[in-house]
Amino acid sequence: MRLWLLDLDDTLLVDHGVTREVLEALGAEAGVEGLYPAVRARAEALFREAPFYPWAERIGHSALEALWARYTTPGLEDLAAWAWPFRERVFREALAALGGPVERARALAEAFFQRRRRYPLFPEVPEFLEALRARGAFLALLTNGVPDLQREKLAGSGLAEAFDLTLVSGEVGWGKPDPRLFRMALCAFSVRAEEAVMVGDNPERDIRGALAAGIYAVFVDRDHRPPDPRYPAHLEVKDLREALALLS
């Protein structure tokens, strides 16, 4: 495989686990149990009511990310104005559902916005990337989300210079599973689909998109999303290093 297409969130970078950990800690401080599922449920429901939701869905920007994205990218000023009322409402309704202190909704929203800014990598990532570089493979990052947040994650995790090509859906205009994003990467390196592999944790976006583009698909099971039988990956792994066998 000459070209490795890599997902970011929950493939290279711990994303879901950090969100859960921060919300559970905030819930403990507020004296309520179940803040993570309550916030997630309210965020997803209210996010679907947002006027820009179809665009967010197209680029793969999630409701939980909307709780901590800065929206500093030019053109996202309306989102920045919308965000704080949305965040406060999410926490207020979540606290109300749990019988918690609704008067602390704004403070908890602000605390989450600040504390969520952590960018740990999965333990095997440095070794995995170094092995790919040592074999001369091209590395391309295909990540869904708004530009400023995804770029912040890359800088914070030390991955900003790790790839030969970085495609952020919010910059390109479409996201995974749209096969155009995958084909854009193929064209950038003059690589045929059969010479490329996509590695990701999301069956709906990573695996489905790779299969639609004719690219070998590796599903990384991070115990967050189960594999989807509608989009069978060519290979399933628990650790990225298991995928290195494809180098030979």
Side-chain angles (χ1 to χ4, degrees), residues 154-215:
L154 287 171
S157 64
L159 293 179
E161 306 298 327
F163 308 99
D164 301 300
L165 174 69
T166 296
L167 296 177
V168 180
S169 64
E171 296 172 350
V172 176
W174 58 77
K176 300 172 292 184
D178 193 317
R180 289 178 292 181
L181 195 69
F182 297 81
R183 291 170 184 152
M184 181 180 292
L186 295 177
C187 290
F189 298 99
S190 299
V191 167
R192 299 189 304 272
E194 59 268 26
E195 297 176 304
V197 55
M198 174 70 205
V199 182
D201 75 296
N202 191 316
E204 171 67 26
R205 296 193 180 273
D206 299 320
I207 307 307
R208 178 187 178 188
L211 295 176
I215 293 171

Side-chain angles (χ1 to χ4, degrees), residues 47-63 65-66 69 71-80 82 144-150 168-176 205:
F47 196 55
R48 286 191 289 269
E49 299 175 3
F52 56 85
Y53 176 73
W55 170 82
E57 179 67 12
R58 185 171 70 250
I59 70 163
H61 177 45
S62 74
E65 287 179 327
Y71 297 128
T72 56
T73 306
L76 299 186
E77 292 82 4
D78 289 345
L79 274 73
W82 163 89
N144 282 357
V146 294
D148 61 299
L149 184 57
Q150 298 309 102
V168 180
S169 64
E171 296 172 350
V172 176
W174 58 77
K176 300 172 292 184
R205 296 193 180 273

